[in-house]
Amino acid sequence: MSDSATLTVDGKNYDLPIVTGSENERALDIGKLRSQSGLITLDPGYGNTGSCQSDITFIDGDKGILRYRGIPLEAFADHPNFVEVAWLLIFGHLPNRTEYEFFSRELTENANIDEDMKHHFAGFPRSAPPMAILSAMISTLSCFHPQLFDLETDDQLEKAAARLISKIRTLAAYTYRRSRGLPYIYPDPKLPYVSNFLHMMFSEVYSPYVPEPEVRAALNLVLILHADHEQNCSTSTVRMVGSSRANLFASCAAGVSALWGPLHGGANVKVIEMLESIHKGKMSAQEYINAAKDKSSDVRLMGFGHRIYKNFDPRATMLRDVSEKLFAKLGTSDPLLEIAQNLADIALKDEYFLERKLYPNVDFYSGIILRAIGIPANMFTVLFAIGRLPGWIAHWHEQNSDPNMRIARPRQVYTGNGLSHYVPMEDRM
Ligand code: ACO
């Protein structure tokens, strides 16, 4: 295989080196294209653009493969431990016992937020969108940890990561409690990560909430399946912001904002809204599918389609299995799961979806699982953010450790007015 390509423009040849990744993905290196030829590339939505080289996550969208630091996602189905996966993503290897116990202890010790931070919650309306609060509160955290702005050593990185990963679940739980007018429940140092989150969400002052082991396992797995997905919109945002040397807190707060959008993390809320509207009889499943295919409508089959996966999304397959097991164990059912399965059955036989390679994505089933656990729909994207945080930290760190890092600054092809002149107000039409 050749290690360069030749671009011919106006009779002149330009050699473009080909970079090959460890899984044989190949990319044209256009780093010198503009200086040599005056040309730039144009790729709206970046579907053909590699923004970096990364060691963290490998995806083969055609084969439905997703691996964290080389380990296939499926390996975690029988070992659903989010803390272990967070360490793996950030530090590049599974933690040994000492590392795991040390990191778990750091998470426990950092679960509380500064008492002064609690006053900020009172400043938001009760109806405030939880993602707005989360983004603002992660930014606010930076004010309480200015010693962690420059992360030069592994030790400093570990401290900042532990604070963020631990406190995000406290912030999330307090957001929920505040929206319901409930008293805040302090973290319990005896509980592991996911149980402690559920405790802060659902315990009452004199009545601790004790989750079933299956609920803990399901939530651990949901968080793991969201933990990283290489250069997706929110992670690229974290890298973009971090490339200006903004600190980790500020960069992750921006990641939360990017995740909020309905075409990204916000899709899990939209899936439930779609399923509920079908359940309430506003439309049948088939009518919804027809509307999603109709180009004159702005309806999309939410939870379907993915920029990268063109075969199946392994996360959706695992979540479908988890949802079935969870309902069997809890002895409950959810009509929305049945509707989702019905929609998937119809869509997966429909030419429109087959031709465009649109398959269920991670958001299609995650909301149903979160509902079964008792998480309200407006908190779904917050749960996604808790899961995605280790990935954001890992990418921020990878980029900041690169001695060749440059500020991210794309170019454009200008299509506006030619040279125009200032017209004084009185002479304007
Ligand atoms: N329902 C109906 N049609 C769809 C859907 C859908 N869910 N998704 C894509 N299409 C159609 C598009 O209309 C387009 O059709 P055309 O070629 O006839 O114009 C074609 O499929 C390609 O779609 P694009 O929007 O170009 O695909 P892109 O890669 O840009 O978008 C995205 C991917 C945003 C995920 C899209 O599939 C979508 O909007 N899905 C629904 C929202 C969703 O579930 N988002 C969560 C994604 S996973 C995540 O962020 C964790």
Side-chain angles (χ1 to χ4, degrees), residues 286-320:
Q286 185 62 60
E287 281 166 345
Y288 197 95
I289 298 265
N290 293 344
K293 287 161 41 174
D294 178 359
K295 293 288 168 195
S296 65
S297 85
D298 57 3
V299 174
R300 284 201 163 193
L301 183 55
M302 297 312 287
F304 253 69
H306 199 278
R307 173 62 61 81
I308 305 283
Y309 294 116
K310 300 298 175 194
N311 184 339
F312 67 95
D313 180 340
R315 302 168 301 171
T317 313
M318 288 172 77
L319 285 178
R320 189 196 55 213

Side-chain angles (χ1 to χ4, degrees), residues 151-321:
L151 307 180
E152 275 154 17
T153 62
D154 266 10
D155 186 47
Q156 286 169 321
L157 171 70
E158 191 273 331
K159 282 195 165 23
R163 272 164 186 74
L164 261 170
I165 293 172
S166 188
K167 289 180 198 303
I168 192 175
R169 90 201 132 145
T170 313
L171 296 174
Y174 284 13
T175 300
Y176 167 74
R177 306 284 300 191
R178 156 95 187 136
S179 72
R180 303 271 159 136
L182 297 168
Y184 302 133
I185 300 287
Y186 282 98
D188 179 344
K190 291 188 292 304
L191 294 176
Y193 190 85
V194 161
S195 303
N196 214 348
F197 170 65
L198 292 169
H199 158 69
M200 287 188 273
M201 287 283 289
F202 300 129
S203 284
E204 293 307 334
V205 179
Y206 298 108
S207 167
Y209 170 87
V210 183
E212 298 288 340
E214 291 75 18
V215 168
R216 275 194 340 246
L219 190 51
N220 262 293
L221 196 61
V222 168
L223 297 179
I224 290 170
L225 298 186
H226 287 89
D228 192 40
H229 214 233
E230 46 117 309
Q231 309 308 320
N232 58 86
C233 176
S234 55
T235 303
S236 297
T237 301
V238 170
R239 289 186 87 123
M240 169 79 89
V241 175
S243 79
S244 74
R245 300 262 183 229
N247 66 70
L248 181 62
F249 299 93
S251 305
C252 290
V256 171
S257 297
L259 190 68
W260 190 359
L263 295 189
H264 190 15
N268 54 17
V269 181
K270 297 286 167 201
V271 170
I272 293 293
E273 285 171 8
M274 170 184 82
L275 298 176
E276 273 172 346
S277 79
I278 295 172
H279 182 53
K280 285 180 190 146
K282 289 195 180 144
M283 260 187 200
S284 70
Q286 185 62 60
E287 281 166 345
Y288 197 95
I289 298 265
N290 293 344
K293 287 161 41 174
D294 178 359
K295 293 288 168 195
S296 65
S297 85
D298 57 3
V299 174
R300 284 201 163 193
L301 183 55
M302 297 312 287
F304 253 69
H306 199 278
R307 173 62 61 81
I308 305 283
Y309 294 116
K310 300 298 175 194
N311 184 339
F312 67 95
D313 180 340
R315 302 168 301 171
T317 313
M318 288 172 77
L319 285 178
R320 189 196 55 213
D321 294 350

